[in-house]
Amino acid sequence: MDDTPGAPPGPQDNGALLLEVVKAFEVCSDASTRAGVKPAERIERITRALSTLMAAFGPGHRVTLDDLLERLSGDQAGQLEGLIPPWLDAADLCGVRLLDFDSVPTAGGFDFRQEAELVRRNAKRLGKQARGVTAHDLDAEYSQESVFRSIKGEFYQRHRTTLITRPVVPAGELAELLLPLQTNRFYRPVEQYAQHCGWFFPCTACQWPMRITITGSGKRASGTAQCLYPWHTDTGSMYVFTPTGSGEPPTLHPAFECRQPSARHARLWTGTLPHVPQPMRAADHLALHRAVWRYTTVSGLPELRIHRALEEELVQTGYTPVLWPFGDTFDHAVMDHDHQILFSADFKDYTWTNHLIAKIHRDAGDSGGAKWLIVPDHRDEQVDHLNAVGRSYGLQAITATNYLETVVQTLKKGGRDGR
């Protein structure tokens, strides 16, 4: 072991250590924002997170409780600069806040942890997990694998579609969704950070409760409601309002004009719709856990759009589009009348391209054998990076609209696979 002050405690996986740091911040966020947690318990949880950081950094780099507390709210919330040791390469998170001013995980920080853990869990199953500091999976019961496992069976497609299209449900109507009992637990009370005076507002793109932020006080107070999925915010799911203190819901006003898709991309558009959300009582509703919403609902919306567009285009052609075929081996297939697969595709909506690239390497392509890797239209900048890796495994990356056009044009010309 290198005993040089500030040196790493031994051979380590940099990605694993960085993941531990992100997870420690999320543990602190949960301790700081969860309703009903007593002050002593909050400090205990934050102290445990501090212990995780100290174990990851080793004795050569000291982090105090005050150091960590300063990074949980206010101007320094979620910032890593000055907290992590100089030998830990955090270039991937350069300029990224892990938490916002109120200690709620940012979209970038939340997605980094979710995607990194998914890749590492897959690697562990394949026996490719690198050694290093590890900790129990944070909220593992809400992982994508747990969700899909809970709905396996004859009604898989119906249940998964329900989770995509019904991220919020009246509390008294949960049973009417006819989901498996173990899936019902993914619906939880609306988070406090999505409420104002007991009200919440669903994003017009995905229908999940938007993040509520209040700045200032008294007559200078102002409120903002915005979706925690940045693409939805960028296309118009951001609103301003004057806070109310009477228990009445505030009135939202668009922060800017809603973005409209081009004619070519309109068919698969999953951005914001041009109308203002109406208030809903938080106490009367349940919402999917954030991880389930992000990696089942949000990712699923374009999957459904692609499938339905292919159904419309290929009607009476003898070709059949299939969604989540063969027990969800991959996401999309197109078959001929002999049930031969002509196109096979998996859909991935990753914020962090490096994590998706790592997954491609570790799966040696697509784990289910798909030949196409579809990404959302708004992530078109990922395609070249993914193809630089995927082509050596026979995997072709493509945007959703380009995939739809490729399939339709190829099959109507009597071809197959299109590559």
Side-chain angles (χ1 to χ4, degrees), residues 29-307:
S29 169
D30 183 72
S32 302
T33 61
R34 183 179 293 276
V37 178
K38 296 179 180 179
E41 187 178 355
R42 293 187 196 277
I43 292 297
E44 180 184 358
R45 293 183 184 182
I46 292 172
T47 302
R48 288 204 300 268
L50 176 63
S51 298
T52 297
L53 291 177
M54 294 174 65
F57 297 159
H61 185 80
R62 185 168 180 265
V63 178
T64 68
L65 181 60
D66 285 342
D67 292 333
L68 183 56
L69 290 174
E70 287 178 355
R71 309 303 175 102
L72 300 186
S73 62
D75 292 340
Q76 295 192 70
Q79 292 188 350
L80 296 181
E81 293 82 355
L83 184 73
I84 61 176
W87 51 260
L88 180 57
D89 182 5
D92 287 345
L93 290 171
C94 181
V96 175
R97 281 180 178 264
L98 300 180
L99 307 178
D100 66 18
F101 293 96
D102 296 323
S103 202
V104 175
T106 62
F110 184 84
D111 288 2
F112 183 94
R113 196 263 294 182
Q114 293 288 329
E115 293 166 13
E117 285 201 320
L118 176 60
V119 172
R120 299 188 73 80
R121 281 194 295 268
N122 288 344
K124 186 175 181 180
R125 285 198 297 269
L126 294 171
K128 299 179 181 179
Q129 177 66 61
R131 292 181 176 273
V133 177
T134 59
H136 68 280
D137 286 342
L138 184 66
D139 287 344
E141 67 270 28
Y142 301 108
S143 69
Q144 193 178 57
E145 303 100 306
S146 297
V147 174
F148 295 165
R149 189 166 54 246
S150 78
I151 58 176
K152 284 290 186 184
E154 181 182 359
F155 301 106
Y156 178 85
Q157 186 176 112
R158 187 184 76 186
H159 294 328
R160 187 163 169 181
T161 300
T162 297
L163 293 175
I164 294 169
T165 59
R166 299 293 300 277
V168 171
V169 61
E173 298 178 13
L174 179 60
E176 296 178 15
L177 298 183
L178 301 178
L179 292 167
L181 291 178
Q182 65 267 31
T183 307
N184 286 343
R185 62 190 172 91
F186 300 136
Y187 287 90
R188 300 161 52 86
V190 176
E191 295 284 358
Q192 289 294 318
Y193 62 68
Q195 298 186 40
H196 177 66
C197 293
W199 299 88
F200 75 92
F201 296 87
C203 168
T204 63
C206 63
Q207 303 304 310
W208 199 66
M210 291 188 290
R211 167 85 166 99
I212 300 291
T213 305
I214 305 295
T215 57
S217 60
K219 293 183 179 180
R220 296 185 176 181
S222 61
T224 302
Q226 65 184 84
C227 186
L228 280 171
Y229 186 63
W231 166 247
H232 295 167
T233 296
D234 293 345
T235 55
S237 281
M238 184 174 185
Y239 307 86
V240 295
F241 64 88
T242 299
T244 61
S246 61
E248 293 297 316
T251 300
L252 300 190
H253 304 278
F256 52 87
E257 186 175 354
C258 187
R259 179 175 166 184
Q260 297 297 308
S262 66
R264 178 169 176 257
H265 292 98
R267 192 169 192 179
L268 300 183
W269 179 254
T270 57
T272 304
L273 300 177
H275 63 261
V276 178
Q278 296 303 303
M280 305 178 77
R281 288 191 179 276
D284 297 338
H285 292 81
L286 299 172
L288 286 174
H289 183 274
R290 182 174 177 178
V292 183
W293 158 76
R294 172 59 184 88
Y295 290 98
T296 300
T297 302
V298 172
S299 298
L301 289 170
E303 289 185 71
L304 291 180
R305 289 288 180 90
I306 293 169
H307 177 68

